[in-house]
Amino acid sequence: MKEPIWRPTSERIANSNLTTYRKFLTDNYGLDFDDFTQLYQWSISDIPKFWESIWKYADVVHSRSYERINEGSQMLGNRWFSGAKLNYAENLLRRVDNTPAIISWNESGDKRRLTFRELRTQVAACAAALRANGIVAGDRVAAYMPNVPEAVIMMLATTSIGAIWSSCSPDFGLQGVLDRFQQIEPKILLTVDSYSYHGKVIDRSEILKQIVDGLPSVKCVVISERKFLTTGAANPKLIDWSEFVQPSATEPEFAQLDFDHPIYILYSSGTT
C-alpha cells in the first residue's frame, strides 16, 4: 500500500473545524465519537439532530428561527428549516474586519486583495445600484464573467436582495449562453468584453453584442472591464462598473427570506 503524499500535522488536526465540531457535540449533546466513521453514521441516522447541531455550531445568522428541521424522509420534496427567515449573503458577510476575504491573481500575475470589511462595503454599493435599477427579490441577475472579484461582489449583492444569480464563463459560445439565459430572463447582465487564456487576450466583444441582442429582458449591461468595446460602439444599455455602483451605500441591507428561497440557477454540463 502506498503512503499518502500528505498527512496533516497534529496541530492542524487539533485546530480543524471537524475536531472543534466533535468537541461541540460532546459539550452540548453528550455525544462522543471515536472516529469519523462513527460521526458520519450518526449524521445519516439521526438527521434532524445532526442538522440542528450544524445550525447551532455554525451560529447561523437569522431573524426568525426554524419551526421544523425537515418535513420528510426523502431528498426530493423535502423542506428544510421551515419557518426560518435569513439571508445567505448576510451569513457570508458577517465578518467586518481586515482579514483577507478574496485574494485574486490573473494570468499576468496581477494580484488583488479584498478584506472582509472592503468586500462588505462593495457589496453594499453594488446592491444599492441593483435596487436603483429596479431589482427586487425573485428577479434574475446573470453574469458572463471570468473568476474575478466583481463576479463575487455582484453575486453577494444579488443574494442580499433576494434576487437570483446565474453565470456563464466568457469562453462559452453564443448559443450556449443564450440557451441558458433566455429561459431565466435576467434583468441585469454583468460582463467583460474579453478574457485572458494562455497569455492571449481573447476578444468577446462581438459575441457580447449578440448576447445582449438575444436577451430582451436585460435592462442594464454592467461591464466590469472593457478592452475592445468603445462607448460609441457599445449597446446603449451598457454601463461601466465604476459608474454603476453606488458608493454612498456603506452598509448592505439583507432581505429576510425563507430557507428554501433560491440563490443560484445552475446548469448541467453540455456542448456550447
Side-chain angles (χ1 to χ4, degrees):
M1 182 176 178
K2 292 184 178 180
E3 282 292 309
I5 62 174
W6 177 81
R7 291 180 186 274
T9 63
S10 298
E11 181 181 6
R12 191 182 186 103
I13 293 172
N15 293 325
S16 70
N17 268 328
L18 185 57
T19 299
T20 306
Y21 174 59
R22 287 174 63 179
K23 184 177 185 303
F24 173 86
L25 290 176
T26 300
D27 294 344
N28 292 273
Y29 291 87
L31 298 171
D32 191 9
F33 301 104
D34 294 334
D35 54 30
F36 176 78
T37 300
Q38 287 188 3
L39 173 58
Y40 170 72
Q41 288 300 324
W42 169 74
S43 74
I44 61 175
S45 61
D46 194 348
I47 291 174
K49 188 63 68 178
F50 167 71
W51 284 109
E52 175 194 292
S53 73
I54 290 294
W55 178 281
K56 292 179 178 178
Y57 174 72
D59 193 21
V60 173
V61 179
H62 59 280
S63 59
R64 190 170 78 191
S65 189
Y66 57 86
E67 297 165 0
R68 295 183 64 181
I69 297 287
N70 65 322
E71 297 182 7
S73 59
Q74 302 298 317
M75 179 63 72
L76 293 178
N78 202 347
R79 288 199 67 194
W80 294 90
F81 299 102
S82 57
K85 293 288 185 181
L86 71 164
N87 188 283
Y88 177 75
E90 185 175 14
N91 277 272
L92 295 186
L93 295 170
R94 69 173 74 188
R95 294 182 64 170
V96 188
D97 58 36
N98 293 321
T99 304
I102 297 176
I103 301 175
S104 172
W105 283 271
N106 63 18
E107 277 196 348
S108 302
D110 297 328
K111 182 178 180 180
R112 297 174 61 189
R113 183 190 299 262
L114 282 176
T115 67
F116 278 98
R117 187 187 307 278
E118 291 168 335
L119 178 60
R120 185 181 173 97
T121 298
Q122 293 197 31
V123 168
C126 187
L130 291 174
R131 286 192 174 93
N133 280 272
I135 301 301
V136 297
D139 286 341
R140 277 75 63 201
V141 175
Y144 184 61
M145 290 286 287
N147 294 322
V148 293
E150 285 78 11
V152 179
I153 293 165
M154 182 74 89
M155 181 277 290
L156 290 170
T158 298
T159 56
S160 74
I161 294 171
I164 305 165
W165 174 260
S166 190
S167 67
C168 287
S169 169
D171 60 0
F172 273 40
L174 171 64
Q175 199 57 49
V177 177
L178 293 180
D179 286 347
R180 289 160 172 79
F181 289 168
Q182 282 178 339
Q183 61 184 308
I184 67 171
E185 299 182 321
K187 291 185 176 180
I188 301 285
L189 178 67
L190 173 67
T191 187
V192 291
D193 68 358
S194 62
Y195 68 94
S196 297
Y197 178 72
H198 204 56
K200 296 180 180 180
V201 177
I202 312 299
D203 182 358
R204 306 299 275 174
S205 57
E206 289 304 314
I207 287 181
L208 175 58
K209 292 176 185 177
Q210 295 176 66
I211 290 171
V212 175
D213 289 343
L215 296 174
S217 63
V218 170
K219 307 303 181 187
C220 179
V221 181
V222 184
I223 185 162
S224 73
E225 182 180 7
R226 71 164 93 196
K227 289 187 171 74
F228 296 96
L229 285 173
T230 62
T231 303
N235 189 292
K237 298 178 183 178
L238 190 145
I239 181 172
D240 285 309
W241 175 270
S242 59
E243 298 176 3
F244 176 77
V245 295
Q246 303 284 320
S248 60
T250 57
E251 280 297 316
E253 301 174 22
F254 299 108
Q256 297 301 296
L257 308 160
D258 293 339
F259 185 84
D260 57 2
H261 183 86
I263 297 173
Y264 310 112
I265 297 174
L266 306 176
Y267 307 92
S268 60
S269 60
T271 57
T272 60

